[in-house]
C-alpha cells in the first residue's frame, strides 16, 4: 500500500505540557482517515503540525513525511494550500472579514499560480460552482453568508490548487445537523472526483463511521486504537473507544439516560492515561504504559476477560 | 449614503451652533470689555460708551448673538482688534501655512506610527518592541513646546543641520521666489519646478512637523501594536497562513488591513489635539500660521480673532470626523452608515 502522509512518533510540547506524546498515523492516496477523540486529546495539534502551523512556543519532534519528504523543521509555505490544505472548524471566523470571498480566492490562487487577477476570478467562479454556490458569492463579504455557505467556500478554496491531502479539522462541528450532512456529502463527492486523501479530524463518531475508511482513536496525545472504521467503531476493543461510543445519544435508548465518561482528559506520568476513567482498570494499568498490539494500546483489550 | 450625509450635516450644524454660542457667551462673560481692548488702556468712560454703542455691545444678549450669527454666516467675521484687518482675511492668509504643517505632520505621524506599531507587534516582547514602546510613550507624553525646543537645540544649535525657524530662509523669497498657487510652499515649489525653494521649504518644515507629529505618531503606534497583536492571532490569519500566503502578505495586507478601523478612530480623535498643538509649535518655530495668530489674539484679548479661529477649528473638527466615519465604512464592510 502506498503512503501519502505518514506521521511517525510525533511529539508536541508547549512549555511544560506535552499534549501530543508519540502519535503515528498514515494516510494513503485517496483514503479518508478519521482522527477521533474528545477535546484536548491532541487531534487538532496533530493536524496543525502537518502544516507547520503550531502556535508560537510549541515544539514538535518525530517525523511528518509527505510524498517521501520529511517536512518537520522545513519551511512548509510552498506546500500549504497547494499540496496540503485545511478546512477549519469555524467558517464564520476563518475568512478575512474585510475582504470579499472572491478577493480571498484571488489572493491564494495568485500566490500559488501567479496567474492574472482575471484568470484567478474565473477559476474562483469555477470552484464555487463545484461546491454548488452561485458566482455572486464572489462579491460577498463573509458576514453576508451563512455558516454552511462559508464552509462550502472553504472547501472550494481548499481544492483550488488540486491538493493531494485535505485536513478537515472539525469541519462540520459548528454547523447544524442538516447542513453538516450536506457538507459531508459534498466533501465525499469531491473526494471521489478528485481523489485526494483526507485526514478527517472529528469528535463525532457517527460522522467518522459514515465516511472514513480507517480511523485512529486518540486519547491524551496517544493513539489508543486504530483500524478500519467498521472494525473500530462497530467492534471497539479499547475501553476508551467503547466509552466514547457509549456516550453517543441514541434515539432508541430509554429516555432520561445520557451516558458520559466521568472526569476529563489527564496525562498520566506513569501507566495508561485512561486508567483514572476506565471502568476495567487493574493494578498493571497504573504502573505500565500499554504498548500497541494489533492496533490497540490496552493491557486488557476487549474488556474484563 | 445621501441620507447619512444629510443627517450628519444637520447634527454638525447643531454642534457648530453650540460652539458659536459658547464662544459668544465666553466673550461676553469675561470681565475685560472688548471696547476697552479696542480703544486701548487709556480709554475714557465716554469713549468706552461710544465704542460699545458702535460695536452693538449695549444691545440685549440675544440680539447681539443673532447679529453675530448672521454676520458670521454672511462672511463678516469682524475686524481683528490687534491688526484692524477683517478676521476672515487674516485667517485666509495664514491658513495655508497651518494646513501645510498639519498635513505633513499627520502624514508623517500615520506612516511612522503604523510602521512602528506593526514592527512592535511582530516582535512582541523583544528589545525592539520595548524600544518602540518607550518611543511612543515619549511621543505621547512630551509637551510639544518642550520637544520643539529640544529639537531646535539638537538639530539647529548643536548639529547645525537644519534652519532655525520660519517657513523659508531669508534669501529664498529674493533668490528663487515661490509662485503661490495653493499657499503650501512645498507643493507650490514642486508644481513650478522651483527645486531650490522646495529644498528650503522642506528643510524648514521638518522640525515643526516632527514636533507636531510626535503625539499622534505615538498614539497610532500604540493602537496599531495592540490591534495587530489581536488580529495576528485571529482564525482568518491562520487560514491565510494555511493557504500558503507569504508572511509579508499576512502581516501588511491582511492583519494590518484588519487593524486599520480602530486605528483610524483614535487617529481622528488625536487630530483635535493636534489642532491645538499647532498653537505651541507655531509659536516655538515662528511659523506664520493660524496658531501663532490665535496665540497673539489670546494675549491681546482680540475677541473677533479668537472667536473666528475657534469656529474655524470646530468646523475643521466636525469635517474631519465626518471623513473618518466615511473612511471607517469603507474600511470595514460590516460598519453601516446610519
Amino acid at each position: 500500500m502506498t503512503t501519502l502522509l505518514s506521521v511517525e512518533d510525533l511529539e508536541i510540547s508547549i512549555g511544560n505540557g506535552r499534549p501530543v506524546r508519540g502519535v503515528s498515523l498514515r494516510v494513503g492516496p485517496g483514503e479518508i482517515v478519521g482522527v477521533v477523540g474528545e477535546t484536548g486529546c491532541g487531534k487538532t495539534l496533530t493536524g496543525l503540525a502537518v502544516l507547520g502551523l503550531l502556535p508560537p512556543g510549541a515544539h514538535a519532534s518525530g517525523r511528518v513525511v509527505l510524498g517521501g519528504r520529511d517536512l518537520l523543521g522545513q519551511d512548509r509555505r510552498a506546500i500549504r494550500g497547494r499540496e496540503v490544505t485545511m478546512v477549519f472548524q469555524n467558517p464564520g471566523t476563518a475568512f478575512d472579514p474585510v475582504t470579499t470571498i472572491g478577493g480571498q480566492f484571488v489572493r491564494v490562487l495568485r500566490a500559488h499560480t501567479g496567474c492574472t487577477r482575471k484568470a484567478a476570478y474565473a477559476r474562483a467562479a469555477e470552484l464555487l460552482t463545484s461546491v454548488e454556490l452561485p458566482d455572486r458569492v464572489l462579491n460577498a463579504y463573509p458576514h453576508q453568508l451563512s455558516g454552511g455557505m462559508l464552509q462550502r467556500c472553504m472547501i472550494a478554496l481548499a481544492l483550488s490548487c488540486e491538493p493531494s491531502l485535505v485536513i478537515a479539522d472539525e469541519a462540520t462541528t459548528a454547523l447544524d445537523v442538516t447542513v453538516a450532512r450536506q457538507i459531508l456529502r459534498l466533501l465525499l463527492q469531491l473526494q471521489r472526483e478528485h481523489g485526494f486523501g483526507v485526514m478527517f479530524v472529528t469528535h463525532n463518531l457517527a460522522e467518522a463511521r459514515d465516511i472514513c475508511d480507517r480511523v485512529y482513536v486518540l486519547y491524551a496525545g496517544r493513539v489508543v486504537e486504530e483500524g478500519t472504521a467498521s472494525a473500530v467503531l462497530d467492534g471497539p476493543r479499547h475501553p476508551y473507544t467503547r466509552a466514547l461510543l457509549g456516550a453517543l445519544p441514541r434515539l432508541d435508548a430509554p429516555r432520561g439516560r445520557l451516558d458520559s465518561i466521568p472526569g476529563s482528559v489527564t496525562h498520566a506520568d506513569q501507566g495508561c492515561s485512561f486508567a483514572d476513567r476506565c471502568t476495567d482498570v487493574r493494578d498493571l494499568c497504573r504502573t505500565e504504559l500499554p504498548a500497541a498490539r494489533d492496533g490497540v494500546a490496552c493491557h486488557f483489550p476487549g474488556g474484563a476477560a | 449614503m445621501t441620507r447619512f450625509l444629510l443627517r450628519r450635516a444637520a447634527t454638525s450644524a447643531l454642534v457648530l451652533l453650540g460652539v458659536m454660542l459658547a464662544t459668544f457667551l465666553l466673550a461676553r462673560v469675561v470681565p475685560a470689555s472688548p471696547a476697552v481692548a479696542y480703544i486701548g488702556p487709556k480709554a475714557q468712560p465716554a469713549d468706552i460708551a461710544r465704542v460699545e454703542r458702535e460695536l452693538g455691545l449695549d444691545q440685549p444678549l440675544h440680539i447681539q448673538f443673532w447679529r453675530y450669527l448672521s454676520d458670521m454666516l454672511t462672511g463678516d467675521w469682524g475686524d481683528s482688534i490687534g491688526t484692524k484687518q477683517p478676521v476672515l482675511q487674516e485667517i485666509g492668509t495664514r491658513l495655508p501655512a497651518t494646513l501645510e504643517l498639519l498635513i505633513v505632520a499627520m502624514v508623517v505621524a500615520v506612516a511612522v506610527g503604523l510602521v512602528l506599531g506593526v514592527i512592535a507587534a511582530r516582535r512582541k516582547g523583544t528589545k525592539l518592541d520595548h524600544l518602540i514602546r518607550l518611543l511612543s510613550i515619549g511621543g505621547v507624553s512630551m509637551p510639544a513646546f518642550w520637544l520643539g525646543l529640544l529639537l531646535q537645540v539638537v538639530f539647529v544649535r548643536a548639529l547645525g543641520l537644519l534652519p532655525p525657524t520660519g517657513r523659508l530662509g531669508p534669501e529664498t523669497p529674493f533668490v528663487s521666489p515661490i509662485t503661490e498657487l495653493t499657499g503650501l510652499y512645498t507643493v507650490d515649489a514642486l508644481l513650478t519646478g522651483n527645486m531650490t525653494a522646495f529644498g528650503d521649504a522642506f528643510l524648514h518644515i521638518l522640525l515643526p512637523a516632527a514636533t507636531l507629529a510626535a503625539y499622534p505618531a505615538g498614539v497610532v503606534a500604540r493602537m496599531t501594536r495592540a490591534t495587530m497583536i489581536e488580529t495576528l492571532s485571529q482564525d482568518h490569519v491562520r487560514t491565510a497562513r494555511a493557504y500558503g500566503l507569504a508572511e509579508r502578505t499576512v502581516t501588511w495586507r491582511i492583519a494590518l488591513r484588519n487593524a486599520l478601523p480602530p486605528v483610524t478612530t483614535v487617529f481622528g480623535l488625536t487630530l483635535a489635539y493636534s489642532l491645538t498643538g499647532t498653537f505651541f509649535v507655531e509659536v516655538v518655530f515662528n511659523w506664520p500660521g493660524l496658531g501663532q495668530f490665535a496665540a497673539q489674539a489670546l494675549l491681546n484679548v482680540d475677541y473677533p480673532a479668537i472667536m473666528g479661529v475657534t469656529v474655524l477649528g470646530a468646523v475643521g473638527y466636525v469635517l474631519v470626523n465626518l471623513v473618518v466615519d466615511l473612511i471607517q465604512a469603507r474600511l470595514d464592510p460590516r460598519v453601516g452608515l446610519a
Side-chain angles (χ1 to χ4, degrees), chain A residues 20-289:
Chain A
V20 175
R21 309 183 161 197
V23 165
S24 296
L25 54 84
R26 219 182 48 73
V27 181
E31 192 183 23
I32 303 183
V33 172
V35 177
V36 300
E38 67 198 293
T39 307
C41 68
K43 5 181 246 299
T44 296
L45 281 175
T46 304
L48 289 175
V50 174
L51 278 172
L53 286 173
L54 290 173
H59 179 77
S61 63
R63 272 157 62 84
V64 173
V65 182
L66 180 81
R69 278 176 304 154
D70 187 2
L71 299 175
L72 220 57
Q74 307 279 315
D75 179 19
R76 272 159 279 185
R77 194 160 69 70
I79 66 151
R80 287 181 203 152
R82 181 189 291 242
E83 287 177 51
V84 185
T85 53
M86 198 147 176
V87 175
F88 290 98
Q89 177 169 1
N90 284 314
T93 56
F95 281 99
D96 179 356
V98 300
T99 310
T100 58
I101 296 294
Q104 302 189 46
F105 271 82
V106 168
R107 224 152 42 194
V108 170
L109 285 164
R110 295 191 70 189
H112 290 295
T113 62
C115 61
T116 64
R117 181 165 289 273
K118 214 176 151 192
Y121 259 105
R123 172 86 177 114
E126 218 174 88
L127 286 162
L128 285 186
T129 311
S130 74
V131 294
E132 296 153 22
L133 285 179
D135 286 3
R136 65 183 159 78
V137 169
L138 284 177
N139 297 319
Y141 287 96
H143 72 278
Q144 296 166 327
L145 302 175
S146 70
M149 288 169 99
L150 285 172
Q151 202 60 304
R152 282 170 191 269
C153 290
M154 197 78 210
I155 291 172
L157 188 64
L159 302 185
S160 58
C161 293
E162 300 277 329
S164 52
L165 177 68
V166 173
I167 301 173
D169 181 18
E170 304 270 11
T172 57
T173 305
L175 306 172
D176 71 56
V177 186
T178 48
V179 178
R181 282 277 132 182
Q182 291 168 10
I183 294 292
L184 273 190
R185 199 172 304 139
L186 179 71
L187 193 66
L188 262 183
Q189 175 204 327
L190 290 167
Q191 192 273 337
R192 282 196 203 104
E193 279 171 33
H194 298 267
F196 49 82
V198 179
M199 180 170 156
F200 191 76
V201 177
T202 186
H203 65 254
N204 188 328
L205 297 175
E207 282 186 359
R209 179 171 18 211
D210 285 352
I211 76 162
C212 295
D213 300 316
R214 289 186 304 116
V215 295
Y216 292 85
V217 181
L218 260 61
Y219 185 78
R222 290 194 178 92
V223 175
V224 293
E225 187 165 1
E226 62 174 279
T228 61
S230 53
V232 172
L233 299 172
D234 292 334
R237 288 174 297 158
H238 195 283
Y240 176 61
T241 318
R242 277 204 304 277
L244 263 187
L245 284 163
L248 282 180
R250 290 162 57 118
L251 288 175
D252 55 356
R255 278 177 68 92
R257 259 197 71 223
L258 285 174
D259 285 325
S260 66
I261 311 176
S264 59
V265 181
T266 50
H267 297 267
D269 294 320
Q270 203 184 14
C272 176
S273 285
F274 191 59
D276 285 343
R277 303 168 78 186
C278 184
T279 48
D280 300 330
V281 62
R282 322 265 177 96
D283 290 345
L284 182 63
C285 302
R286 302 204 183 269
T287 53
E288 206 174 298
L289 181 68

Side-chain angles (χ1 to χ4, degrees), chain B residues 42-176:
Chain B
K42 286 182 182 161
Q44 299 299 312
D47 297 332
I48 293 177
R50 183 174 51 80
V51 171
E52 279 190 341
R53 216 171 21 254
E54 276 175 22
L55 295 179
L57 294 174
D58 54 345
Q59 302 285 323
L61 269 186
H62 63 273
I63 302 214
Q64 285 190 44
F65 182 62
W66 175 248
R67 196 177 285 171
Y68 167 66
L69 209 60
S70 48
D71 282 352
M72 291 292 278
L73 287 177
T74 50
D76 177 9
W77 289 25
D79 292 346
S80 159
I81 294 173
T83 63
K84 310 280 191 242
Q85 299 294 314
V87 169
L88 207 53
Q89 186 187 321
E90 292 280 359
I91 287 176
T93 53
R94 287 155 212 267
L95 187 60
T98 297
L99 273 186
E100 182 176 31
L101 183 59
L102 259 179
I103 291 170
V104 172
M106 293 309 119
V107 169
V108 169
V110 170
V112 170
L114 284 181
V115 170
L116 287 186
V118 169
I119 293 174
R122 295 290 333 209
R123 306 277 167 87
K124 189 176 75 169
T126 63
K127 284 209 177 78
L128 191 61
D129 178 25
H130 295 313
L131 179 70
I132 290 173
R133 182 153 6 153
L134 212 64
L135 278 176
S136 56
I137 290 176
V140 170
S141 52
M142 213 180 294
F145 61 88
W146 191 74
L147 178 64
L149 289 175
L150 190 76
L151 289 176
Q152 279 182 343
V153 167
V154 174
F155 288 96
V156 182
R157 191 90 45 88
L159 299 175
L161 286 175
L162 293 169
T165 57
R167 290 181 83 185
L168 291 171
E171 305 93 26
T172 311
F174 306 104
V175 181
S176 44

Side-chain angles (χ1 to χ4, degrees), chain B residues 267-269 271-272 275 315-325:
Chain B
F267 176 69
L269 293 175
L271 261 172
L275 239 58
V315 171
Y317 189 64
V318 164
L319 280 180
V320 162
N321 274 290
L322 179 64
V323 171
V324 164
D325 282 354

